[in-house]
């Protein structure tokens, strides 16, 4: 009896998306910038400008929120609003939220540790403590937007967003939710920035990595709904028109030939625009969605990535109807994201 | 029972209540609890805590500086042995879904103090942290191929992890899953809960009229879930099913539960609906029961409104303390044991009925009547989760 599971939940339909990035929050402007070469020097971290994090719609509820939660709330709010017409009749207790993060709100954690070290462990700030937990962002999202369905915050240093998308597929397929807002958030605090060059050297990651921060969320529904694209997390090696990948952040021991090889017509990366982070697949997905929406190949061309087999033509003018977002995992089984134009 | 049935085939637990399931049951039967007045680190906070033994036996591959990982490893090892699983055949997909709070945060005080002092601290604590994302580390140690997720939903993480793992199996993403939670006693959450003013300086008294807060604890609780197909192929005849799971958000406040328990009520009702059972079929509830004023009032009120005032229920936090990300995993194990052994222990710490809670927990070892049992979790962030188990004869 073959016990290798063959079932996979159906893809989800992307109904809207929103993002808070170092390049801004306005999607048309983002698309325009992604059509040009990246301009950020390699030694310049991609941090979010503070003025981008103020939004009257967040209101009183966000007054104590840190950068981590603010970025998440604004991106989730934008995603929901972008898909507004498609979920007018959805009950709030049928809306789920999934937040992926690598390092969580570490800046607030360090602030809480400051309080312990300066005032003693019996006199630290309760506000800093409550905002240092990883699910603070999800709490702000659900409170601000009134969503009362399932909520899951998860942490992973490699394939967090991929696993989050897979969970969204499962929740929608089993009928636990009618909509899921799924995304990721990372912050780049001063402690991390200071230590990052030494940290990266210690884990064999290229020092050329540009660290980044931001949040990106997608409002998704069942694939029976008309949307911008179908999205799934998959290990299947189907060829795609476009390959989007992290580059050049791979640890040296993982820069091996992918098995089986990935087949595509062309490859790009959005890492130089948004920066590298644990859940950077979210931002590769953002760039990919903008490719599908604009009908253009955006991002920085990757000429000869390891483990990629070119198929058909590398004609840059050919239409892009399918995109694979690929991030090598420390596990031997590659899990990547597949975006396809509906009807393809 | 059908293809979508998710069986429980193994459990493992380590906490102040016992280093394994057998010793935990023995302590429960005797109503013993072991709060400690000394902490494993220097602190200005004087309060009881519930600690697992200081020196945990952690042979490879479970050796790691992280005590949370050590605790998780002990529970995983026991659960796999209980399930009769010494390895997995080629091609079998096994998921790992574990909850935690402490292991997800870069919160080493010595490391951060060194950073503040000299700017260039030894980075080993950072590497230790990066190497022990709980589910990733367990999957790698056991060479497992399947979905994995480290859930960080604060105090409901363990319960949510079980629900997610069950969904994976029903969706066909894996045939088997290791699910639960683990957390160590750590100075940072100790300081945090102290700052919130919700900790008791006495051994905790869940649902008691004189309750005055929680005690922190540590531990790990792990459950092995299997598809009906995989259990059948292995020749297993399991009797406990994960029959239902529900989760809902309060959308109310970062740290306080909704005053009417809106999210908890919804989570319980979804779990009952998924299991297709009536509240009257629930033999007992293992409640979250932290012994804080708000949690116990809200939870007791919701349980009474759904199950009536004759419901047998308890909180096991009187034996373990509040183990945060481990709580849902441990309490799931205790709930399964209650169904399996057909008795539940006295709700430790309870003596005086509370005027603000319409029901009271069991005061003595109590036989279980009914084939189903529920375990509930409430958490920071307004997360609520309920997992329902069913015993088949």
């Amino acid at each position: 009896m073959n016990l290798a599971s063959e079932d996979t939940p159906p893809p989800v339909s992307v109904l809207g998306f929103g993002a808070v990035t170092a390049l801004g929050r306005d999607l048309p402007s983002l698309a325009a910038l992604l059509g040009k070469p990246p301009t950020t020097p390699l030694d310049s971290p991609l941090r979010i400008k503070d003025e981008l994090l103020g939004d009257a719609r967040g209101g009183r509820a966000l007054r104590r929120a840190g950068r981590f939660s603010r970025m998440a709330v604004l991106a989730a709010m934008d995603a929901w609003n972008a898909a507004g017409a498609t979920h007018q009749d959805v009950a709030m207790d049928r809306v789920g939220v999934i937040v992926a993060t690598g390092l969580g709100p570490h800046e607030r954690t360090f602030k809480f540790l400051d309080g312990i070290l300066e005032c003693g462990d019996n006199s630290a700030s309760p506000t800093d403590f409550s905002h240092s937990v990883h699910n603070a962002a999800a709490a702000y999202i659900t409170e601000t937007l009134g969503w009362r369905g399932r909520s899951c915050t998860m942490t992973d240093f490699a394939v967090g967003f991929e696993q989050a998308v897979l969970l969204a597929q499962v929740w929608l397929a089993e009928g636990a939710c009618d909509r899921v807002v799924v995304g990721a958030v990372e912050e780049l605090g001063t402690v991390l920035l200071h230590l990052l060059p030494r940290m990266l050297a210690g884990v064999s990651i290229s020092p050329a990595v540009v660290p980044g921060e931001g949040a990106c969320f997608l409002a998704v529904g069942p694939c029976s709904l008309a949307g911008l694209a179908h999205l799934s997390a998959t290990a299947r090696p189907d060829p795609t028109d476009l390959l989007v990948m992290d580059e050049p952040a791979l640890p040296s021991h993982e820069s091996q030939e992918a098995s089986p090889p990935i087949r595509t017509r062309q490859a790009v990366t959005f890492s130089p625009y948004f920066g590298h982070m644990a859940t950077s697949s979210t931002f590769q997905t953002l760039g990919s969605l903008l490719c599908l929406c604009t009908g253009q190949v955006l991002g920085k061309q990757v000429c000869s990535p390891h483990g990629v087999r070119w198929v058909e033509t590398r004609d840059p003018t050919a239409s892009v109807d399918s995109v694979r977002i690929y991030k090598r995992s420390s596990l031997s089984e590659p899990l990547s994201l597949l975006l396809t134009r509906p009807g393809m | 029972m059908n293809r979508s049935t998710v069986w429980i085939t193994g459990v493992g637990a380590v906490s102040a209540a016992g280093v394994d399931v057998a010793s935990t049951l023995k302590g429960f039967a005797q109503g013993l609890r072991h709060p400690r007045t000394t902490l494993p680190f220097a602190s200005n906070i004087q309060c009881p805590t519930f600690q697992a033994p200081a020196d945990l036996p952690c042979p490879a591959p479970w050796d790691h500086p992280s005590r949370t990982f050590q605790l998780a490893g002990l529970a995983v090892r026991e659960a796999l042995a209980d399930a009769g699983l010494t390895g997995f055949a080629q091609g079998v997909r096994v998921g790992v879904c574990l909850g935690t709070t402490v292991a997800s945060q870069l919160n080493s005080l010595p490391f951060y103090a060194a950073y503040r002092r000299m700017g260039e601290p030894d980075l080993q604590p950072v590497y230790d942290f990066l190497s022990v994302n709980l589910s990733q580390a367990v999957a790698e140690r056991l060479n497992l191929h399947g979905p994995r997720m480290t859930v960080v939903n604060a105090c409901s993480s363990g319960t949510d992890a079980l629900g997610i793992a069950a969904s994976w199996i029903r969706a066909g993403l894996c045939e088997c899953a290791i699910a639960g939670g683990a957390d160590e006693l750590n100075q940072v959450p100790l300081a945090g809960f102290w700052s919130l003013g919700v900790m008791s300086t006495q051994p905790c008294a869940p649902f008691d009229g004189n309750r005055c807060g929680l005690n922190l604890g540590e531990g790990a609780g792990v459950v092995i879930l299997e598809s009906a197909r995989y259990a059948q192929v292995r020749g297993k005849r399991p009797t406990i099913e994960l029959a239902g799971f529900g989760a809902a958000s309060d959308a109310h406040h970062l740290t306080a539960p909704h005053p009417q328990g809106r999210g908890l009520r919804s989570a319980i009702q979804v779990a009952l609906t998924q299991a297709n059972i009536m509240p009257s079929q629930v033999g007992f509830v293992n409640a979250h029961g932290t012994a804080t004023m708000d949690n116990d009032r809200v939870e007791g009120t919701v349980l009474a409104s759904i199950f009536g005032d004759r419901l047998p229920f308890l909180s096991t936090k009187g034996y373990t303390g509040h183990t945060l990300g481990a709580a849902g995993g441990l309490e799931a194990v205790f709930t399964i044991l209650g169904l399996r052994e057909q008795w539940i222990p006295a709700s430790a710490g309870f003596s005086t009925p509370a005027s603000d809670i319409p029901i009271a927990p069991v005061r003595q070892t109590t036989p279980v009547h009914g084939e189903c049992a529920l375990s509930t979790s409430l958490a920071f962030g307004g997360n609520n989760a309920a997992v329902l188990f069913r015993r088949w004869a």
Side-chain angles (χ1 to χ4, degrees):
Chain A
M1 185 175 190
N2 179 15
L3 279 168
S5 296
E6 294 168 356
D7 298 342
T8 54
V12 296
S13 182
V14 180
L15 307 172
F17 57 102
V20 176
T21 79
L23 296 181
R25 189 173 152 197
D26 177 65
L27 296 181
S29 303
L30 262 180
L33 290 168
L34 296 180
K36 300 173 183 172
T39 56
T40 307
L42 286 176
D43 59 352
S44 177
L46 292 162
R47 295 198 76 190
I48 308 292
K49 295 180 179 68
D50 284 343
E51 54 264 34
L52 206 61
L53 300 179
D55 189 308
R57 288 175 296 173
R60 187 169 171 272
L62 287 179
R63 69 192 187 284
R64 288 179 174 168
R67 292 167 56 81
F68 182 81
S69 294
R70 281 176 181 270
M71 289 188 284
V73 169
L74 295 176
M77 184 188 295
D78 286 352
W80 187 252
N81 290 338
T86 65
H87 45 232
Q88 284 174 340
D89 298 328
V90 174
M92 292 293 99
D93 62 359
R94 300 285 300 163
V95 181
V97 61
I98 304 172
V99 179
T101 185
L103 295 174
H106 58 270
E107 193 72 350
R108 206 65 183 256
T109 302
F110 290 134
K111 195 173 174 203
F112 183 64
L113 300 191
D114 283 332
I116 294 176
L117 293 170
E118 291 166 10
C119 308
D121 64 357
N122 57 348
S123 302
S125 160
T127 305
D128 287 336
F129 175 63
S130 58
H131 287 73
S132 72
V133 297
H134 277 47
N135 67 331
Y140 271 109
I141 289 172
T142 57
E143 185 182 345
T144 305
L145 296 165
W147 299 335
R148 303 196 306 275
R150 291 187 178 187
S151 170
C152 180
T153 301
M154 44 85 61
T155 177
D156 195 292
F157 301 131
V159 287
F161 184 60
E162 288 82 349
Q163 296 289 356
V165 169
L166 189 61
L167 184 60
Q169 292 176 250
V170 170
W171 280 2
L172 289 166
E174 71 180 2
C177 300
D178 292 333
R179 298 288 187 278
V180 178
V181 178
V182 56
V185 54
E186 301 289 358
E187 72 174 350
L188 192 54
T190 51
V191 179
L192 191 64
L193 263 177
H194 179 77
L195 298 175
L196 208 54
R198 285 177 60 210
M199 286 170 57
L200 295 177
V203 291
S204 306
I205 292 181
S206 163
V209 161
V210 183
E213 67 175 359
C216 176
F217 280 82
L218 319 179
V220 302
C223 61
S224 55
L225 291 174
L228 307 168
H230 286 168
L231 172 66
S232 60
T234 179
R236 288 174 49 184
D238 301 353
T240 53
D241 299 328
L242 181 66
L243 173 68
V244 175
M245 59 192 304
D246 270 348
E247 188 269 345
L250 301 175
S252 56
H253 69 278
E254 290 177 7
S255 299
Q256 308 298 321
E257 291 285 309
S259 178
I262 299 167
R263 292 171 294 161
T264 190
R265 289 208 315 256
Q266 47 190 325
V268 301
T269 180
F270 296 99
S271 300
Y273 300 87
F274 300 124
H276 289 281
M277 51 200 112
T279 50
S280 56
S281 301
T282 325
F283 296 88
Q284 309 289 357
T285 305
L286 168 65
S288 305
L289 282 165
L290 289 170
C291 288
L292 288 178
C293 291
T294 60
Q296 302 173 48
V297 175
L298 308 171
K300 181 189 172 192
Q301 291 278 336
V302 181
C303 296
S304 51
H306 290 291
V308 172
R309 180 176 299 163
W310 303 109
V311 297
E312 300 176 15
T313 170
R314 294 177 69 176
D315 175 8
T317 63
S319 69
V320 173
D321 295 317
S322 60
V323 184
R324 177 178 301 282
I325 299 122
Y326 181 72
K327 182 175 186 178
R328 284 166 215 251
S329 155
S330 58
L331 293 179
S332 58
E333 179 180 82
L335 184 67
S336 58
L337 297 168
L338 186 64
L339 269 174
T340 55
R341 201 182 290 281
M344 300 307 295
Chain B
M1 285 169 284
N2 54 40
R3 187 182 180 281
S4 66
T5 302
V6 176
W7 289 115
I8 308 296
T9 57
V11 293
V14 53
S15 72
V19 293
D20 53 23
V21 165
S23 59
T24 300
L25 280 171
K26 188 175 176 185
F28 280 176
Q30 296 170 341
L32 298 175
R33 60 176 181 161
H34 309 286
R36 289 196 203 174
T37 54
T38 56
L39 292 165
F41 40 77
S43 173
N44 298 324
I45 298 170
Q46 299 294 317
C47 61
T49 56
F50 287 83
Q51 301 169 31
D55 297 319
L56 299 169
C58 295
W62 307 111
D63 48 333
H64 190 280
S66 164
R67 184 167 168 86
T68 298
F69 185 72
Q70 294 173 14
L71 290 162
L74 271 177
V76 169
R77 190 172 57 170
E78 185 184 21
L80 288 171
D82 188 37
L85 284 162
T86 54
F88 294 97
Q90 183 81 18
V92 175
R93 292 173 57 81
V94 182
V96 182
C97 196
L98 296 170
T100 188
T101 62
V102 175
S104 68
Q105 291 188 311
L106 182 49
N107 61 6
S108 164
L109 272 166
F111 158 77
Y112 189 61
Y115 164 79
R116 282 166 46 108
R117 203 166 50 244
M118 58 186 182
E120 300 297 341
D122 176 12
L123 290 178
Q124 192 56 47
V126 177
Y127 300 137
D128 288 343
F129 162 71
L130 293 173
S131 69
V132 75
N133 178 284
L134 210 53
S135 294
Q136 183 177 356
V138 168
E140 287 174 353
R141 296 295 196 285
L142 297 174
N143 193 28
L144 303 179
H145 302 280
R148 70 166 196 243
M149 185 169 285
T150 300
V151 180
V152 282
N153 278 356
C155 307
S156 69
S157 300
T159 305
D160 285 309
L162 261 77
I164 290 166
S167 290
W168 286 343
I169 290 175
R170 291 195 179 103
L173 291 171
C174 55
E175 296 289 354
C176 179
I178 297 168
D183 255 330
E184 70 193 62
L185 182 66
N186 182 284
Q187 188 172 8
V188 175
L190 185 83
F193 282 97
W194 183 267
S195 74
L196 289 166
V198 295
M199 285 179 59
S200 172
T201 55
Q202 302 297 318
C204 64
F207 298 105
D208 192 272
N210 297 316
R211 69 191 184 278
C212 52
L214 59 83
N215 304 145
L216 285 186
E218 63 178 355
V222 169
V223 170
I224 305 298
L225 308 176
E226 292 186 39
S227 68
R229 185 171 67 149
Y230 191 52
Q232 184 181 33
V233 166
R234 292 205 310 121
K236 292 287 173 183
R237 297 176 65 87
T239 57
I240 310 284
E241 174 194 9
L242 193 161
F245 170 77
S249 305
D250 280 340
H252 168 68
H253 192 270
L254 186 56
T255 57
H258 186 271
Q260 281 77 50
R262 180 170 62 188
L264 177 63
R265 183 185 306 276
S266 174
I268 292 171
Q269 286 170 339
V270 169
L272 291 169
T273 301
Q274 187 180 66
N276 194 28
I277 69 159
M278 303 294 291
S280 59
Q281 292 175 264
V282 174
F284 73 93
V285 174
N286 189 354
H288 190 58
T290 57
T292 63
M293 294 304 292
D294 283 352
N295 179 89
D296 290 9
R297 182 183 62 249
V298 168
E299 191 175 19
T301 303
V302 169
L303 292 178
S305 71
I306 295 175
F307 297 101
D309 58 6
R310 299 182 66 181
L311 168 78
F313 79 103
L314 77 162
S315 165
T316 47
K317 288 189 173 66
Y319 298 96
T320 64
H322 192 349
T323 58
L324 307 179
L330 274 170
E331 287 155 25
V333 170
F334 300 155
T335 307
I336 292 162
L337 292 175
L339 278 177
R340 194 157 91 181
E341 304 294 323
Q342 294 284 278
W343 59 269
I344 53 175
S347 191
F350 177 82
S351 61
T352 308
S355 59
D356 59 341
I357 303 173
I359 51 177
V362 296
R363 300 178 191 221
Q364 57 201 8
T365 300
T366 303
V368 169
H369 303 290
E371 69 268 37
C372 299
L374 186 78
S375 181
T376 53
S377 293
L378 294 81
F380 267 22
N383 287 73
N384 301 272
V387 61
L388 190 72
F389 300 100
R390 183 171 198 162
R391 181 174 187 268
W392 295 87

